[in-house]
Structures are given as structure tokens and as C-alpha cells.
Amino acid sequence: MKNQELRYFLYARRSKEKSADEEKAASVESQVSEMRQLANKLGLKIVKIFKETKSAKEPNNRPEFQEMINQIQAGKANAILAWKMDRLSRNPIDEGLLRYLLQKGIIQNIKASDRDWYPDDNALLASVEFGVANQYSRDLSKHVKRGLTAKVEAGYRPSLAPLGYKNSRYREK
């Protein structure tokens, strides 16, 4: 299918939760900027831009993502442009929906900054890429809990002081 026949929705997302790794991740605006530049370079038609600051760890948590999927199913676009595949999904429910729409040809192309996905691509490879994103979320949760437990065991309060107490810049014991 030629680029001119594809109508893209650009989807940019950032989680509300911020970890040390996420601080390095591209912001929503920088994702949009980079993907617009790529679209201009390749002559891709962007129909609409969806921006969201929501975690993709759990399904049915992202209204902009759901609206994008509804509009794709209504035929308003047939392709998605996203910085990375993990911007689209970090859970098996959304992953399954995206892979289903792609395999059925309802989505003709998912274009990320580093690769393209098409309806006739190997389903196993898409599963691996989405699986890596899902596993990252699962592992991150475990690491954060382990870190908080270690702070408590070391005598530190792992969060801000309760009302009426002074917060120290140095996190004194």
C-alpha cells in the first residue's frame, strides 16, 4: 500500500508515574515533534494527533487511546504513528487488540521511529516486542517496591513527611 493511501493517527504518551528511567524518556511534545518530522520526510498523512499522560500498564485506562481505536474501527484512519511500540501498549489486553486490528488489516501500518509493522508481518515478532514492553512494566513495579522496602529498612521514610512534619532535603533518618 502506498503512503498516500494510508491515513495516520499520531499517538504520543507518557506515564504519570516517573522513575529514573522514565526521566530519560521522550516527552509527549518531543515525540510529536520527532514523528511529525518523520511524517514530513516520508510524505505520510497525519489525520489527527492523540496526546496522553496516562500509564499503559492497565487496560481501559487511557481515554485518548480508546478514542483513537474507536476512530480506527470507524474507518477514519488506517495507520498509527508512534515513537515506540511501548507508547501504544504495556499490557496484554491493548496489545492483543492492536495485533488483532493489524492482522485483520483494519490497521494497515504501525510506524515507530525504528521500524514498521504490517498486517502480513510475523505475529511472533510483534508479540515479542509488545511482550518486552509488558515485562518492563511488571519488573518496574517489583523494583520500585523493593527500593521502598530497602529505604524503610535503612530507617528512611520512603516518601514525604506527614502533615505537621518538616521535609528534609537530605532525607535524614
Side-chain angles (χ1 to χ4, degrees), residues 96-119:
L97 177 59
L98 287 166
R99 286 193 310 123
Y100 175 79
L101 294 173
L102 185 64
Q103 288 176 11
K104 289 296 182 186
I106 296 166
I107 297 175
Q108 290 289 313
N109 177 234
I110 297 176
K111 179 173 245 348
S113 60
D114 58 349
R115 97 161 274 181
D116 284 277
W117 299 94
Y118 295 98

Side-chain angles (χ1 to χ4, degrees), residues 115-135:
R115 97 161 274 181
D116 284 277
W117 299 94
Y118 295 98
D120 59 349
D121 283 346
N122 186 318
L124 180 60
L125 295 177
S127 294
V128 169
E129 185 145 349
F130 276 124
V132 168
N134 184 353
Q135 191 60 44

Side-chain angles (χ1 to χ4, degrees), residues 5-144:
E5 298 170 4
L6 295 175
R7 296 175 320 280
Y8 286 86
F9 281 152
L10 193 161
Y11 182 79
R13 179 188 66 81
R14 177 174 174 79
S15 299
K16 280 186 176 179
E17 300 83 18
K18 294 179 182 179
S19 69
D21 289 335
E22 285 182 326
E23 288 299 328
K24 300 172 194 166
S27 73
V28 169
E29 291 306 321
S30 67
Q31 291 174 46
V32 170
S33 175
E34 290 282 332
M35 298 317 287
R36 275 186 170 160
Q37 289 176 21
L38 181 63
N40 287 337
K41 178 181 171 184
L42 299 176
L44 307 178
K45 181 181 180 182
I46 297 175
V47 177
K48 186 173 180 178
I49 298 173
F50 293 88
K51 300 177 193 177
E52 201 150 46
T53 304
K54 294 273 187 183
S55 173
K57 181 180 177 185
E58 297 294 330
N60 306 315
N61 184 39
R62 299 177 291 152
E64 291 293 309
F65 176 80
Q66 191 56 54
E67 179 61 25
M68 180 183 71
I69 293 298
N70 292 343
Q71 289 190 27
I72 287 171
Q73 290 175 319
K76 304 212 186 247
N78 58 0
I80 300 173
L81 193 57
W83 173 248
K84 297 281 184 195
M85 292 294 276
D86 68 1
R87 300 298 84 206
L88 295 173
S89 174
R90 287 193 184 266
N91 70 74
I93 302 295
D94 294 340
E95 168 197 344
L97 177 59
L98 287 166
R99 286 193 310 123
Y100 175 79
L101 294 173
L102 185 64
Q103 288 176 11
K104 289 296 182 186
I106 296 166
I107 297 175
Q108 290 289 313
N109 177 234
I110 297 176
K111 179 173 245 348
S113 60
D114 58 349
R115 97 161 274 181
D116 284 277
W117 299 94
Y118 295 98
D120 59 349
D121 283 346
N122 186 318
L124 180 60
L125 295 177
S127 294
V128 169
E129 185 145 349
F130 276 124
V132 168
N134 184 353
Q135 191 60 44
Y136 174 82
S137 286
R138 296 177 71 191
D139 291 343
L140 182 61
S141 175
K142 291 176 192 172
H143 297 318
V144 167

